[in-house]
Amino acid sequence: MPASDPAMLGRAPDPIGEVLFENRKIEAAVDRLAREIEHQVGDRELILVAVLDGALIFAADLLRRLPGRTRLATVRASSYRGARTAPEDLEIHIPDVDLTGQHVLLVDDIVDTGRTLQQLQAALLTHRPASLQTCVLLDKPSRREVAVTVDWVGFTVPDRFVIGYGLDWDGWFRDLPYIAALDLPA
Ligand code: IMP
Ligand code: MG
């Protein structure tokens, strides 16, 4: 039964709203980002640090488009409960991989208030990487609360809660191949 089935969610109607990015468009954006990153990184070794759970699908697609000198590590940052954020609850688990002297690419699904990436970047920098750059699939600049440096962005999105391609609402809809607005009944 698909996650979008209202019976499974116990609510109706289906909260999948307007589709903002079809899978084809997402694939093209990931291709472009990989090309730009590859161009900049050259033949240096890279550690791609994916932020779980939201960046799981994006990071997997990006990793497979980067040349053979990329290793994968993960960090977990959970702050969302449903469609609300509580940055003070952010839990960060830094990977076991030694990042010292390494070129690190932090990969997340979306930069919203910026608090998650700001804290993750600070945490990763304590490991003294040779470089730290950040790539996100989506940027929601209208919601920014703290200044954060993001080197690569797939798409800019309006101030709407979005789901799909790894992004969830209360754990649901990460499996959608496209990105849509969440459309909850009033
Ligand atoms: P920030 O700390 O406010 O920038 O929030 C970043 C995190 O919140 C992301 O890594 C996402 O996991 C989550 N998030 C922010 N906006 C959305 C959204 O529209 N849909 C789903 N998750 C979101
Ligand atoms: Mg996240």
Side-chain angles (χ1 to χ4, degrees):
M1 193 186 285
S4 55
D5 190 317
M8 191 171 172
L9 282 172
R11 71 187 78 227
D14 193 321
I16 302 174
E18 184 192 349
V19 174
L20 303 178
F21 306 105
E22 293 286 359
N23 186 259
R24 230 173 330 119
K25 267 190 100 170
I26 299 172
E27 297 267 320
V30 182
D31 281 342
R32 171 180 62 80
L33 292 169
R35 274 198 308 274
E36 290 176 11
I37 292 165
E38 192 179 348
H39 180 75
Q40 231 228 38
V41 171
D43 57 7
R44 291 195 292 268
E45 290 177 5
L46 192 63
I47 300 184
L48 189 163
V49 177
V51 184
L52 298 177
D53 297 319
L56 183 71
I57 293 177
F58 173 44
D61 282 348
L62 187 62
L63 178 69
R64 285 176 292 178
R65 285 167 170 85
L66 290 169
R69 298 166 73 89
T70 309
R71 284 179 288 166
L72 175 68
T74 56
V75 287
R76 179 172 294 279
S78 344
S79 66
Y80 266 80
R81 300 287 175 272
R84 281 168 295 127
T85 182
E88 63 278 8
D89 290 344
L90 192 74
E91 275 178 56
I92 295 183
H93 299 279
I94 293 298
D96 267 350
V97 185
D98 186 7
L99 302 176
T100 311
Q102 301 293 325
H103 296 284
V104 173
L105 177 67
L106 179 60
V107 174
D108 206 355
D109 50 359
I110 184 166
V111 53
D112 186 38
T113 66
R115 294 186 185 279
T116 302
L117 282 180
Q118 189 191 51
Q119 291 182 50
L120 284 172
Q121 288 174 347
L124 293 176
L125 283 172
T126 65
H127 294 251
R128 303 198 161 280
S131 68
L132 173 63
Q133 289 186 295
T134 302
C135 175
V136 297
L137 181 65
L138 304 177
D139 181 7
K140 214 191 275 181
S142 55
R143 295 245 318 157
R144 200 77 86 252
E145 291 173 11
V146 295
V148 66
T149 303
V150 178
D151 304 277
W152 290 287
V153 171
F155 302 106
T156 299
V157 287
D159 184 8
R160 297 173 80 176
F161 195 83
V162 291
I163 50 174
Y165 194 70
L167 293 125
D168 74 306
W169 172 65
D170 235 359
W172 295 103
F173 305 118
R174 294 193 198 276
D175 57 314
L176 298 177
Y178 51 83
I179 292 170
L182 180 72
D183 197 6
L184 288 177

